[in-house]
Amino acid sequence: MTKQKRIIIIGNGIAGVTAARHIRKNSDCKITVISGETDYFYSRTALMYVYMGHMEFEHTQPYENWFWEKNKIDLMKGWVTNVDFEKKSIKIEDKKSLAYDSLIIATGSVSNKFGWPGQDAIGVSGLYSKQDLEYITAQTQTTKRAVIVGGGLIGIELVEMLHSRGIEVTFLVRERSFWDIVLPKEESQMINQEILDQHIDLRLETELKKIKTDSNNQVTSVITSDGEEIECTFVGLTVGVSPNVNWLKGSGLELNRGVLVNEYLETNIPDVYAIGDCAEHRNPSLGRRPIEQVWYTGRMMGEVVASTITSDKTAYRPGIWFNSAKFFNIEYQTYGTVKPELESGESQFVWQSEDGKKLLRFVFETESMSVLGVNVFGIRMRHDVWDGWIANNRKINFVMKNLELANFDPEFYKAHEFSIREKFNQEFDEIAVENNRVSMIKRLFA
């Protein structure tokens, strides 16, 4: 009788759970998923809506509780304290050791802290886990003023959460403009204005120096890099996240910022894999980063590792980069490569609506005219269309002629394709005259 293969997955986020589901689809392996955070998988991006009262926490769970037993996926609550790679076993807190044949590490991220005085005081929190949500909910019951530190996506989520409860928020952003390490100037300034329009106290080029507390270690105020003291009873530290790998130091697993993996998501130890936020790719695909902490990459890695373990060894090929977010009332999507500033050999076209709430930036190769990427603000676009255009090197004139195909806004929304094309034609006619680039015009309008 063939021995049933034992697979242990540490972490029940999107990466770990996707791996479990696809391993079950492909095999009868014994699957155990371990998490100290929650009993069941939930959508991490929905935490803000629980706080804002739009849903209950149970509504963030995509699967009914009976799903796991029905699909013979064992769930175990607890924190893994030790992994013995030689004996192929793990230890969960005070529980007995569990043996494995294949181990998948999918432990996600942890919120960053940078040694600020007072950073561990009562009333200070990041926003990553269910425990963070519960803590923030409890700590802000009577909060009248809060300070959020860090100008990224998690930061603006937490700002919106607190603002929804009528809490006055000061937002400390160390950059010259919001998220300008990612966004070009116009997009960044658009979000600055949206934050100000929501009556948020936005402080650009301002950093946290110290969190002050009372005799009970409760937050009372913060000191900024300008020397200003801002009274508050809650501080949100949202200066990014890091792979949750410190617990693996000295274990023999090769680490850098995350767990180092090859294109098959294999670590340096046989039968041990790492996926999701905690994985760091030794040789990332062209145009991709070594660590990409977004929902869909975790899902893709879960599918890939499941295939490798149960059937065919499969390389991780994430394809064209995309991401999405929301800045209060402005939705954001990006496809392909759009950097804060153009690189050599690149051109761009930017369209913005009169009300300043919608913007599209198209980046393309100057010589070939092939589209490299697009930023979309305030208009919904179809992922599959843009993925195909960029992957197939469609030229900017083709994209302009067929822009309606990418529009995903409801039919009663105002369409902007005519205005976009009109500005594009006018702008590139002027450029052609100024630079006497007749060849470019022939390619554009042939």
Side-chain angles (χ1 to χ4, degrees):
M1 183 176 178
T2 305
K3 178 184 173 183
Q4 188 180 31
K5 188 173 184 179
R6 300 163 299 184
I7 298 174
I8 289 179
I9 302 170
I10 306 174
N12 72 345
I14 184 62
V17 162
T18 301
R21 290 178 49 247
H22 283 265
I23 289 169
R24 175 54 67 237
K25 285 181 181 179
N26 299 338
S27 74
D28 64 350
C29 296
K30 177 176 174 55
I31 305 169
T32 302
V33 179
I34 303 167
S35 170
E37 183 185 357
T38 55
D39 292 311
Y40 301 103
F41 165 61
Y42 71 95
S43 174
R44 200 171 298 280
T45 57
L47 288 177
M48 68 180 293
Y49 301 110
V50 176
Y51 182 89
M52 294 167 71
H54 300 323
M55 60 173 65
E56 299 294 330
F57 181 77
E58 290 71 21
H59 301 155
T60 70
Q61 298 174 189
Y63 305 102
E64 299 290 346
N65 294 347
W66 50 257
F67 172 87
W68 310 100
E69 183 176 358
K70 179 181 178 181
N71 288 278
K72 297 180 180 179
I73 298 173
D74 297 330
L75 303 181
M76 185 174 293
K77 182 80 176 290
W79 300 103
V80 176
T81 57
N82 179 262
V83 182
D84 189 326
F85 294 113
E86 278 193 23
K87 293 182 179 178
K88 297 184 108 175
S89 70
I90 67 166
K91 184 78 183 317
I92 307 170
E93 295 175 319
D94 297 328
K95 299 180 178 67
K96 65 180 182 180
S97 296
L98 295 179
Y100 66 84
D101 295 301
S102 291
L103 176 66
I104 302 173
I105 298 171
T107 50
S109 299
V110 292
S111 298
N112 289 334
K113 291 183 178 181
F114 293 108
W116 295 287
Q119 67 179 18
D120 297 317
I122 298 169
V124 180
S125 181
L127 176 61
Y128 182 81
S129 65
K130 179 177 184 284
Q131 284 83 354
D132 290 337
L133 173 66
E134 292 170 344
Y135 186 81
I136 294 168
T137 302
Q139 289 295 317
T140 58
Q141 290 295 319
T142 59
T143 296
K144 291 183 170 52
R145 188 176 184 85
V147 173
I148 306 304
V149 182
L153 298 182
I154 298 176
I156 200 166
E157 281 186 3
L158 189 47
V159 168
E160 183 174 356
M161 287 164 56
L162 299 173
H163 181 68
S164 74
R165 293 197 177 190
I167 297 170
E168 291 184 39
V169 183
T170 295
F171 195 12
L172 305 185
V173 176
R174 71 174 182 176
E175 289 80 20
R176 289 179 297 176
S177 185
F178 179 83
W179 216 27
D180 63 4
I181 60 172
V182 174
L183 299 177
K185 180 180 178 180
E186 289 86 350
E187 288 93 312
S188 179
Q189 291 181 346
M190 173 193 287
I191 305 307
N192 290 343
Q193 191 58 53
E194 176 68 9
I195 294 169
L196 293 171
D197 287 347
Q198 299 297 326
H199 307 291
I200 303 301
D201 179 22
L202 175 63
R203 308 288 188 92
L204 299 173
E205 296 186 273
T206 307
E207 298 186 53
L208 173 68
K209 298 300 288 185
K210 179 181 180 180
I211 299 171
K212 296 183 71 173
T213 61
D214 62 17
S215 59
N216 297 315
N217 200 33
Q218 170 71 50
V219 171
T220 58
S221 64
V222 302
I223 305 297
T224 73
S225 54
D226 298 327
E228 181 182 1
E229 182 170 359
I230 303 172
E231 292 186 359
C232 62
T233 55
F234 178 81
V235 176
L237 298 181
T238 60
V239 287
V241 295
S242 297
N244 182 16
V245 298
N246 281 344
W247 64 284
L248 289 164
K249 287 183 177 179
S251 67
L253 203 63
E254 288 188 5
L255 309 174
N256 187 33
R257 289 179 56 213
V259 181
L260 290 168
V261 296
N262 63 14
E263 61 182 326
Y264 301 103
L265 307 174
E266 298 168 319
T267 69
N268 63 302
I269 296 177
D271 300 315
V272 179
Y273 306 82
I275 59 177
D277 286 11
C278 68
E280 179 176 353
H281 303 275
R282 294 178 187 273
N283 298 295
S285 301
L286 184 66
R288 308 297 297 234
R289 298 182 181 91
I291 300 173
E292 293 183 332
Q293 294 156 319
V294 291
W295 181 88
Y296 81 90
T297 57
R299 176 182 56 78
M300 290 177 68
M301 282 188 261
E303 294 175 2
V304 166
V305 79
S307 177
T308 291
I309 289 174
T310 61
S311 54
D312 300 320
K313 192 168 184 176
T314 306
Y316 174 63
R317 298 283 185 265
I320 304 299
W321 166 256
F322 75 92
N323 199 7
S324 63
K326 186 172 75 71
F327 307 102
F328 282 97
N329 296 317
I330 298 178
E331 293 187 42
Y332 157 69
Q333 296 169 292
T334 187
Y335 302 98
T337 303
V338 181
K339 296 182 178 178
E341 295 184 1
L342 289 179
E343 296 191 344
S344 176
E346 294 179 349
S347 296
Q348 65 182 358
F349 166 65
V350 181
W351 170 89
Q352 190 166 8
S353 61
E354 291 184 3
D355 64 4
K357 300 292 186 180
K358 297 177 176 61
L359 181 148
L360 275 76
R361 179 183 302 271
F362 305 84
V363 177
F364 52 95
E365 290 182 346
T366 303
E367 290 300 318
S368 70
M369 313 306 291
S370 297
V371 171
L372 299 171
V374 63
N375 275 351
V376 185
F377 284 78
I379 299 174
R380 296 176 186 176
M381 291 284 184
R382 296 183 183 275
H383 175 209
D384 58 336
V385 172
W386 269 107
D387 192 70
W389 283 349
I390 296 170
N392 292 301
N393 299 311
R394 290 296 190 183
K395 300 186 186 305
I396 186 65
N397 61 319
F398 175 91
V399 169
M400 285 295 158
K401 289 176 182 177
N402 295 278
L403 204 52
E404 286 86 353
L405 297 177
N407 195 322
F408 194 58
D409 274 341
E411 62 182 355
F412 52 83
Y413 275 43
K414 182 179 179 180
H416 298 277
E417 286 79 10
F418 178 81
S419 172
I420 294 167
R421 275 192 289 263
E422 184 177 48
K423 184 175 188 293
F424 176 81
N425 291 339
Q426 179 184 14
E427 188 170 308
F428 279 86
D429 271 338
E430 292 172 359
I431 290 174
V433 170
E434 290 175 7
N435 299 326
N436 196 27
R437 297 176 64 183
V438 176
S439 60
M440 183 173 117
I441 292 299
K442 287 181 177 178
R443 287 198 299 272
L444 275 171
F445 303 108

